[in-house]
């Protein structure tokens, strides 16, 4: 079965008759008059996929396309807690439908059974939801009420094996997403917020790999057991601004691994130091001289040996973690996950959010089936075109062959439009993965 056919099959399943059982379980349909569970989900998900800032009149227009003539006022009355619960259950069901594309033939990635990138992103919610979704307080996305989206993404196949919804104040380091069974031969690349000696140990024991920035304050010992004073050690052992040595990580227990350090340009180091000073002042303290000095280096730890990953390849691979930031940006900017109608009640906010999340998962499936095989893809450009194709997809949804025919030409069009051009001065993500020697420095 082709990737397009697989995605069509999944979309038909998650937007199909099976939703009626979920609707019954969540008591969202009391009397079968106009709406069914299926038409409710379709109306919400597909309308918001096409128009993230949709009004109730836009939702009513989509409903009419499936023979459900309702007014905008009637749609507004549907924004209840049972609807929000039903849409969250529908989202959970959607997340169980795993999709993965064919891996792009990139030698650096082909060395691993999978290349997992992991990170989280927070969304602020109305304060009234702080009991259900307590946030961290403060400004930005850490208000009184917030939720956190945890994502584990395979850079080889595009698969999203884990997408978890947590409360805003949940700790990244303690998230269940970091306790998944390690996959032998896979490499895990996570942000510093997930730095964990114990997780590194579990990966190592399972013959899986980790690549992480070094967490300041973590004990680093030579392979003979001598505690290293990193500032002096790096200055003494750098060769052309690079240190690549075997070390032991941890104080009470030692984990053999490898320390990679690459000196960064002075302007980069100065920007880092300025941010560090500002952050320290915000917390009523001063950044130490040692810490500021070490900011002149990019420091990594990994259990991958040099013969399997050179220092330059390691930095290129770690920089690929930026792709998950772009994925979150796509969801939050293009799909407008955080947008809510002024004056919307909490139940409406949650209902719209669950529907949008369900939409971005379906959107991701369409991206895998259309542009993923081309490493030069631009998910942002492709998602913009998918939005324009929503209406023909809606019209074809109940007719398998017609739906398949509607998706197939989308792949052809996207392959020509949704590409990132090669660059000489600042090589793209795909260029660097294909040829790590293009990397000019290791920040």
């Amino acid at each position: 079965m082709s990737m397009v056919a697989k995605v069509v099959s999944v979309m038909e399943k998650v937007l199909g008759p099976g939703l009626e059982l979920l609707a019954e379980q969540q008591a969202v349909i009391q009397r079968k008059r106009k709406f069914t569970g299926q038409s409710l989900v379709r109306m919400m998900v597909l309308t918001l996929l096409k128009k993230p800032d949709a009004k109730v009149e836009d939702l009513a227009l989509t409903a009419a396309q499936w023979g459900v003539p309702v007014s905008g006022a009637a749609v507004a009355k549907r924004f209840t807690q049972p609807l929000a619960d039903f849409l969250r259950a529908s989202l959970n069901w959607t997340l169980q439908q795993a999709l993965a594309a064919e891996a792009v033939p990139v030698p650096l990635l082909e060395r691993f059974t999978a290349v997992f990138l992991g990170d989280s992103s927070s969304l602020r919610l109305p304060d009234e939801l702080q009991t259900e979704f307590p946030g961290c307080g403060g400004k930005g996305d850490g208000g009184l009420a917030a939720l956190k989206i945890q994502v584990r993404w395979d850079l080889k196949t595009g698969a999203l094996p884990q997408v978890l919804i947590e409360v805003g104040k949940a700790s990244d380091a303690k998230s269940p997403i970091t306790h998944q069974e390690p996959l032998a031969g896979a490499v895990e690349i996570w942000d510093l917020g997930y730095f964990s000696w114990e997780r590194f140990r579990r990966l190592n024991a399972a013959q899986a790999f980790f690549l992480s920035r070094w967490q300041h304050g973590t004990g680093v010992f030579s392979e003979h057991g001598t505690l290293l004073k990193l500032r002096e050690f790096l200055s003494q052992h750098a060769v052309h601004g690079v240190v690549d040595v075997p070390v032991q990580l941890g104080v009470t227990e030692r984990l053999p691994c490898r320390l990679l350090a690459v000196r960064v340009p002075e302007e980069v180091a100065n920007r880092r130091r300025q941010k560090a000073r500002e952050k320290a002042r915000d917390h009523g303290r001063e950044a130490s001289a040692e810490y500021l000095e070490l900011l002149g280096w990019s420091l990594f730890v990994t259990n991958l040996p040099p013969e399997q990953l050179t220092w330059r390849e390691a930095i290129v691979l770690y920089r690929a973690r930026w792709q998950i930031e772009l994925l979150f940006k796509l969801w939050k900017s293009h799909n407008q996950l955080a947008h809510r109608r002024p004056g919307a009640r909490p139940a409406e906010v949650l209902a719209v959010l669950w529907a949008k999340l369900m939409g971005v998962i379906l959107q991701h499936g369409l991206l895998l089936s259309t542009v993923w095989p081309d490493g030069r893809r631009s998910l942002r450009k492709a998602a913009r075109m998918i939005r324009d194709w929503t209406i023909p997809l809606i019209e074809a949804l109940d007719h398998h062959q017609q739906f398949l025919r509607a998706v197939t030409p989308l792949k052809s069009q996207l392959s020509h439009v949704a590409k990132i051009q090669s660059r000489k001065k600042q090589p793209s993500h795909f260029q660097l993965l294909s040829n790590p020697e293009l990397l000019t420095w290791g920040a």
Side-chain angles (χ1 to χ4, degrees):
M1 183 185 295
S2 71
M3 188 61 198
V4 170
K6 289 179 183 177
V7 171
V8 166
S9 177
V10 166
M11 291 187 70
E12 290 173 331
K13 181 176 182 180
V14 300
L15 297 174
L19 291 167
E20 300 311 319
L21 177 59
L22 283 179
E24 182 180 333
Q25 292 171 345
Q26 299 298 329
V28 72
I29 303 293
Q30 299 294 335
R31 292 175 296 171
K32 291 189 177 180
R33 297 176 64 182
K34 292 185 177 180
F35 278 112
T36 63
Q38 179 177 279
S39 59
L40 268 175
V41 170
R42 289 181 173 188
M43 175 189 72
M44 293 291 295
V45 172
L46 297 175
T47 305
L48 292 166
L49 186 58
K50 176 173 175 54
K51 190 175 182 181
D53 59 350
K55 298 178 173 59
V56 289
E57 290 79 12
D58 299 308
L59 294 166
L61 183 60
T62 302
Q65 291 182 264
W66 282 299
V68 185
V70 291
S71 65
V75 170
K77 291 180 180 178
R78 283 284 175 178
F79 289 127
T80 61
Q81 190 59 45
L83 175 63
D85 294 340
F86 169 52
L87 286 167
R88 182 162 190 185
S90 300
L91 169 63
N92 291 337
W93 188 37
T94 302
L95 291 173
Q96 295 172 22
Q97 316 305 319
L99 281 171
E102 290 293 327
V104 180
V106 178
L108 179 55
L109 301 183
E110 288 176 336
R111 300 173 194 177
F112 310 103
T113 54
V115 178
F116 291 121
L117 310 179
D119 208 345
S120 70
S121 185
S122 296
L123 296 173
R124 189 164 185 169
L125 298 174
D127 290 348
E128 298 94 315
L129 290 168
Q130 61 182 300
T131 300
E132 184 178 0
F133 292 100
C136 299
K139 301 177 181 179
D141 295 330
L144 293 178
L147 67 76
K148 183 176 287 188
I149 307 170
Q150 295 279 1
V151 169
R152 188 163 175 252
W153 187 20
D154 182 4
L155 193 61
K156 288 187 66 176
T157 65
L160 294 172
Q162 281 90 34
V163 178
L164 303 181
I165 306 299
E166 300 179 348
V167 299
K169 71 173 185 179
S171 165
D172 284 342
K174 296 179 181 179
S175 172
I177 204 166
T178 65
H179 296 100
Q180 301 298 322
E181 189 68 25
L183 176 63
V187 58
E188 300 263 359
I189 307 171
W190 296 72
D191 184 64
L192 260 183
Y194 300 85
F195 189 95
S196 167
W197 182 93
E198 176 58 31
R199 185 166 62 84
F200 296 159
R201 186 194 63 77
R202 284 190 286 108
L203 289 169
N204 195 61
Q207 296 184 314
F209 307 107
F210 60 85
L211 173 61
S212 171
R213 282 192 181 271
W214 172 72
Q215 179 75 277
H216 183 74
T218 304
V220 180
F221 295 78
S222 73
E223 58 182 336
H224 304 298
T226 304
L227 178 64
L228 300 181
K229 296 181 179 180
L230 279 184
R231 182 168 52 171
E232 292 82 358
F233 180 82
L234 296 178
S235 298
Q236 295 170 4
H237 291 80
V239 178
H240 303 299
V242 177
V243 175
D244 184 351
V245 293
V247 296
Q248 299 179 60
L249 199 64
V251 177
T252 55
E253 292 185 64
R254 309 283 171 80
L255 177 65
C257 63
R258 179 177 165 209
L259 174 70
L260 298 173
V262 181
R263 188 179 289 280
V264 303
E266 195 61 26
E267 61 270 22
V268 175
N270 288 336
R271 286 198 299 269
R272 290 180 177 181
R273 289 166 184 149
Q274 181 61 29
K275 289 181 181 179
R277 291 188 183 99
E278 292 172 356
K279 185 176 180 180
R281 281 198 300 269
D282 290 343
H283 290 81
R285 52 182 173 80
E286 290 187 7
S288 70
E290 180 185 15
Y291 178 60
L292 293 174
E293 180 66 26
L294 288 175
L295 290 178
W297 299 82
S298 284
L299 297 162
F300 304 89
V301 289
T302 182
N303 61 339
L304 281 157
E307 59 271 19
Q308 191 166 354
L309 198 73
T310 68
W311 70 264
R312 195 179 294 271
E313 291 170 336
I315 293 168
V316 167
L317 200 56
Y318 188 85
R319 281 173 56 142
R321 204 192 62 79
W322 179 247
Q323 296 303 303
I324 201 168
E325 301 288 350
L326 295 180
L327 184 69
F328 284 133
K329 184 177 180 180
L330 174 69
W331 293 358
K332 296 174 80 169
S333 178
H334 174 82
N335 298 105
Q336 299 182 35
L337 288 185
H339 175 83
R340 57 178 183 262
R341 185 177 63 83
R345 298 189 308 276
E348 178 182 341
V349 171
L350 289 179
V352 169
L353 178 57
W354 304 139
K356 285 184 177 181
L357 281 169
M358 193 171 170
V360 300
I361 299 304
L362 296 179
Q363 171 183 276
H364 191 75
L366 288 170
L367 292 172
L368 293 187
S369 68
T370 53
V371 298
W372 188 266
D374 189 340
R376 298 168 295 171
R377 60 191 171 263
S378 166
L379 299 186
R380 178 182 57 81
K381 291 180 181 179
R384 192 164 59 223
M385 286 192 65
I386 286 174
R387 176 179 289 173
D388 295 335
W389 276 69
T390 305
I391 290 178
L393 293 179
I394 289 173
E395 293 173 344
L397 190 54
D398 286 323
H399 309 281
H400 179 77
Q401 291 301 322
Q402 184 181 346
F403 192 27
L404 193 57
R405 287 195 297 271
V407 176
T408 301
L410 175 61
K411 178 177 181 178
S412 177
Q413 290 197 19
L414 289 177
S415 66
H416 291 91
V417 176
K419 286 186 178 181
I420 296 174
Q421 299 301 317
S422 296
R423 301 188 294 257
K424 290 185 178 180
K425 289 188 176 180
Q426 293 182 319
S428 67
H429 159 68
F430 179 70
Q431 285 177 273
L432 289 173
L433 285 179
S434 301
N435 182 11
E437 294 302 315
L438 294 176
L439 181 73
T440 54
W441 59 283

